[in-house]
Structure formats: C-alpha cells, structure tokens
Amino acid sequence: MKFINKSAILALFLLSATVINAQATKEKVDGVIGVVGDYVILDSDIDLEYIQLRAQGVDVKEISRCELFGKQLEDKLYAHQAVVDSIIVTDVEVNGFMEEQIDAMVEQVGSMDKVLTFYRKKNVDEFRAYFFDIIKNNKLTSQMQKKIVDDVQITPEEVRNFFKAIPKDEIPTFGAEIEVAQIVVKPVVPESEKQAVIKKLKELKQEVLNGSSFFSKAVLFSEDPGSSSNGGYYKMNRKTPFVKEFKEVAFSLAVGEISEPFETEFGYHIIQVDKIKGQDVELRHILISPKVSPEALKEAKLKIEGIRTKILTGEISFADAAKSSSDEKETRNNGGVLLNPRTLEPRFELTKMDPSLYGRVSTLKDTEITVPFIDEERTGKVYKIMTVNNRTEEHKADFSQDYLKIKELALKDKQIKAIAKWTEEKIDETYIKIGTDYKDCEFTNNWTKK
C-alpha cells in the first residue's frame, strides 16, 4: 500500500501549529498575489511552501518569498497550458489517488477530524474539494512538463558539441564505479513444512467462518510486517504493484469470501475481501512463511561452497556458475550481474552504493570472490557469494569512455533549454497579473512582461 511520506505528515503537524499560532494572534488576511490564466495564487500558498520545505529538513533562511512565488507561477503556467492543450486528467484518476492519500493521512494522524483541523476545513466535503483541486493541478503540471521534454531528442553530434563546449576546468568528474555479480542459493524448504503452514491457514480460515475476527487472526498470526498490526488490511487496484499471484486471487473473490491458502514468493496467504469500490478492492490477508531448518541452511552453505571452489579452481566461470546454479532468476541469465536500481545499468558508483553492499565488495579486487555469507532478503534467508567483474577509478569525464553519462548530461541541458524557450513563449501568450507586493521581485522568467 502507498502511504503518504513522513515529510508530508510532519508538514501536517507544522501546519496545525501555524493554525494555532494564527488563532492566538491577529491573523493576516489572505489575498490573491498572482493570476496565471484561470489560476490564482494566494499569499497563503507561499506560507504553505515554507512549511513543507521545513518539514523536509530544508534550511529556508536563504529562500525568499519571491523565489517561492516564482515557482508557483511556473506551476500554474504548466497547469493552465495543459488545459489549453487538452491534456486530460480524469476525475477517476484524481479520486483514486486522493482516496489513497486521505486513507494514509487518517491512518497516520488518527482521525479525519484531525486532518480537517490541520487544513482548516469545516467538513469533509470542503476538504475533498480543496484536495481534489491540488491533486488535479499537480497532475496537469507534471503531464505538461513531460509533454515538453518527451519530444526532445539528441544526436551523437550534439553530444559531441556539448562536451567540446565545456571549459577544461569545468569538465565533470565521475566517481569510481564497479560491476557486481552474485550467486544466490536458497535453502530448500521441506514439503512437510509447507503442508504444516497450509494446514494452519486452513484452520484460521475455518475459525473465521465460525465467527472469529479475521482482523484479530491477522494481528496474532500474520508475518507481513507491512499490514499485520492493521489486521492485514490493504487497498489495491489492478495497477497496484503487488505480486501477480496475490492480485489474481484478490480480484477473483466476492465480498466476504475467504480464499484457500495460496503461495507467492513471500510464503502462503489467505485473503478475505472486505469491500469492492469500482476498481478498488479493500481486503485483509494473513501471511505465514514456511520455516527454514538449520539442516536446510547447512545444505545451502555446502552447496554454495562447492560452487565457489569450482570457480576458484577454474572448472567453471562465475558467469556460467550463476547461469547454471543461482536460485535468483532476476540475475542468473545475466551471469549474476546486478543492476543499479537508480540507473538500471550494471554499474554502481561507490559513493552512492547501499552501505551493506558497499561493505561486501568495496575492497574486492577484480575476479576475487567473497566467502559465502547469509543475507536476509524479503523472501527469507539465503546464501550468497559476490565478485567484482571490473572497476573504473574516479576520473575526469572522457568522451569515449563515458559517452552514455555525457549523453545524459547533454540531453538534460537540451531539455532545460526547451523548457526555458517554452516558458518564454507561453508567458507572452498568457494573461498574467502580479500583485503589488511582488512587483519588485527579480524573477528568473519575465513574469512582469517588462
């Protein structure tokens, strides 16, 4: 389930504090400070920007109201032009996202009344109308930005010219990078343990059918850390990123129906559907994972030690061993090579690596292999060995060696220029009014049309 982030929750509390302070002193009258097309910007919008930045840990001492006002003007210009260009954000899309966010807010702060207090809204309908507009405008803004840059392409010649134009003392430095590969061996869970879990889940199902609370059973027995404390509750639709087997069962059930035990990579589940609202399903589930015995762990260790020995003696290469023996389907067909989750490329910059991975491989020499170690994955304990295929030391950007990185920089530069050109043109075409208090601001863009 997608929960609202911690900074947003902190922003709620900071906003509530602002409300209390405003009530204790003479409250400033809110007013329109800008207009872009059909969109207005209020002085309180700037106050809210400050609150949200502080909640995210940003030092706002050097950020002026003019700068934040400029950002608001940009956002409203994107949203206005999105409507002009007939970019469609459906009410269904907005309402679906809004319901997820409201559910998360209520869960985090305790009640809808607290949410209404934080936002200074009289009732739920007023809050929903307010929140609906915010979400729709944000989605229009992001889609308009995407439309501008999606058409921007770059040729090899443009990349070459971009790199040549960089002054020598400003050529970027790229950090040290390595390519990492791994072999994974999962302990074998005996069939008897699987059957014991299935039997337990069937017993829990029957107890619920006999009148027990599914909520209570999930709190007591479910091993899903993300939902057990909340009675196994999830709200999902067909686009929610759950594993295939889970979604197939969830969308096959009627309201009130409880599934038979079924297996995913996380273990065995039963699901009970609480509500079906349009495309959304609200459900509860119980997850129990078969336990790995000490004997199974020992066998897995012996297996991976044997694989490592064969690699060290030259009987087989690391890549071929991964293809033939690794239990990790995501990497075995690629010789065990890991993809960087940030770039989706098979290279990791050392200074930006996950600390646990860095600790395993940072001191390895090329082709050196770690000793087998246990790693706790989301599906349970596994044994691994890792190696470094090749390493690139920190260096000044080189056109042939770092072409892809330079291409990315060149493309971003071209996109920024495209956005600047688009903004300049749309400012000239759009009705824009700047409030008196902000007339003297020094904007990056020509909002005052001087």
Side-chain angles (χ1 to χ4, degrees), residues 44-187:
S44 60
D45 293 333
I46 310 300
D47 296 329
L48 185 57
E49 284 272 2
Y50 273 118
I51 291 167
Q52 291 172 337
L53 288 171
R54 291 191 191 100
Q56 295 164 14
V58 177
D59 185 353
V60 298
K61 292 178 182 176
E62 303 299 323
I63 302 177
S64 69
R65 295 187 73 85
C66 286
E67 289 177 279
L68 294 184
F69 181 43
K71 178 181 179 300
Q72 288 280 339
L73 289 166
E74 289 179 12
D75 290 344
K76 296 300 185 287
L77 181 64
Y78 287 128
H80 167 76
Q81 194 60 41
V83 174
V84 172
D85 289 359
S86 300
I87 291 176
I88 296 174
V89 174
T90 66
D91 288 356
V92 171
E93 179 184 356
V94 175
N95 283 323
F97 183 78
M98 181 171 68
E99 290 303 322
E100 289 183 11
Q101 296 303 298
I102 290 175
D103 287 347
M105 288 180 190
V106 171
E107 184 172 335
Q108 294 291 331
V109 302
S111 71
M112 190 66 200
D113 287 341
K114 290 184 178 179
V115 175
L116 296 179
T117 300
F118 295 152
Y119 279 95
R120 287 186 281 182
K121 300 302 174 186
K122 297 175 183 177
N123 53 54
V124 174
D125 289 340
E126 184 182 353
F127 172 70
R128 285 180 180 276
Y130 161 79
F131 202 32
F132 181 95
D133 289 341
I134 290 177
I135 293 172
K136 187 162 187 174
N137 290 343
N138 287 344
K139 286 186 175 292
L140 286 170
T141 296
S142 62
Q143 289 196 29
M144 190 67 245
Q145 290 172 325
K146 184 176 184 298
K147 181 180 178 181
I148 297 168
V149 300
D150 273 355
D151 294 333
V152 178
Q153 305 292 329
I154 196 159
T155 66
E157 184 63 24
E158 287 176 309
V159 177
R160 186 178 295 106
N161 290 336
F162 169 81
F163 186 68
K164 285 181 178 179
I166 301 175
K168 287 187 177 181
D169 60 346
E170 295 180 17
I171 292 176
T173 298
F174 295 133
E177 293 182 323
I178 58 175
E179 182 180 291
V180 180
Q182 68 181 20
I183 294 173
V184 177
V185 172
K186 297 180 180 179

Side-chain angles (χ1 to χ4, degrees), residues 331-351:
T331 60
R332 66 185 175 207
N333 291 328
N334 194 31
V337 175
L338 295 176
L339 292 182
N340 187 328
R342 290 193 308 106
T343 64
L344 299 181
E345 293 182 354
R347 301 194 66 79
F348 293 80
E349 190 170 342
L350 283 175
T351 58

Side-chain angles (χ1 to χ4, degrees), residues 373-430:
F373 62 92
I374 290 181
D375 197 13
E376 187 76 45
E377 296 194 334
R378 60 180 185 172
T379 56
K381 292 180 179 179
V382 298
Y383 267 100
K384 292 182 179 181
I385 53 174
M386 288 184 167
T387 190
V388 172
N389 287 342
N390 55 67
R391 183 188 309 266
T392 304
E393 300 301 332
E394 182 177 286
H395 62 284
K396 287 280 189 181
D398 176 87
F399 186 77
S400 58
Q401 180 180 340
D402 302 304
Y403 177 79
L404 291 178
K405 289 188 178 65
I406 295 168
K407 179 183 177 182
E408 183 180 348
L409 293 174
L411 179 60
K412 286 181 179 178
D413 181 70
K414 190 173 181 180
Q415 289 173 338
I416 290 170
K417 290 176 180 176
I419 289 174
K421 183 174 183 292
W422 179 93
T423 302
E424 183 180 351
E425 292 172 353
K426 298 307 175 186
I427 286 175
D428 287 340
E429 300 172 5
T430 307

Side-chain angles (χ1 to χ4, degrees), residues 46 224 234 300 314 357:
I46 310 300
D224 176 13
Y234 280 121
L357 180 58

Side-chain angles (χ1 to χ4, degrees), residues 128-316:
R128 285 180 180 276
Y130 161 79
F131 202 32
F132 181 95
D133 289 341
I134 290 177
I135 293 172
K136 187 162 187 174
N137 290 343
N138 287 344
K139 286 186 175 292
L140 286 170
T141 296
S142 62
Q143 289 196 29
M144 190 67 245
Q145 290 172 325
K146 184 176 184 298
K147 181 180 178 181
I148 297 168
V149 300
D150 273 355
D151 294 333
V152 178
Q153 305 292 329
I154 196 159
T155 66
E157 184 63 24
E158 287 176 309
V159 177
R160 186 178 295 106
N161 290 336
F162 169 81
F163 186 68
K164 285 181 178 179
I166 301 175
K168 287 187 177 181
D169 60 346
E170 295 180 17
I171 292 176
T173 298
F174 295 133
E177 293 182 323
I178 58 175
E179 182 180 291
V180 180
Q182 68 181 20
I183 294 173
V184 177
V185 172
K186 297 180 180 179
V188 177
V189 178
E191 187 64 28
S192 59
E193 177 62 23
K194 295 179 182 179
Q195 291 304 317
V197 169
I198 293 172
K199 180 182 178 183
K200 178 63 178 177
L201 287 170
K202 285 184 175 181
E203 291 173 353
L204 292 174
K205 174 182 176 179
Q206 190 58 50
E207 289 172 11
V208 173
L209 292 174
N210 291 340
S212 295
S213 163
F214 197 104
F215 180 102
S216 298
K217 296 298 182 185
V219 171
L220 291 171
F221 296 102
S222 182
E223 297 172 4
D224 176 13
S227 71
S228 59
S229 63
N230 196 28
Y233 175 84
Y234 280 121
K235 181 178 179 180
M236 60 185 289
N237 57 48
R238 294 189 182 276
K239 294 182 180 180
T240 308
F242 280 71
V243 292
K244 177 184 175 183
E245 298 88 350
F246 193 96
K247 292 171 76 171
E248 287 177 348
V249 174
F251 288 102
S252 70
L253 299 173
V255 174
E257 188 177 359
I258 304 175
S259 73
E260 289 296 316
F262 65 95
E263 185 179 12
T264 70
E265 61 188 88
F266 301 101
Y268 289 87
H269 314 248
I270 55 172
I271 291 175
Q272 181 180 49
V273 171
D274 281 353
K275 297 177 184 177
I276 298 177
K277 297 180 180 178
Q279 301 298 314
D280 294 326
V281 173
E282 294 184 34
L283 57 83
R284 298 188 186 278
H285 87 121
I286 296 172
L287 166 68
I288 300 178
S289 301
K291 301 301 178 286
V292 175
S293 67
E295 292 77 14
L297 275 173
K298 184 177 180 180
E299 289 176 6
K301 183 179 180 182
L302 289 172
K303 179 180 177 181
I304 204 164
E305 284 176 342
I307 295 169
R308 182 174 185 270
T309 298
K310 288 180 179 180
I311 298 170
L312 292 175
T313 58
E315 185 176 337
I316 191 172

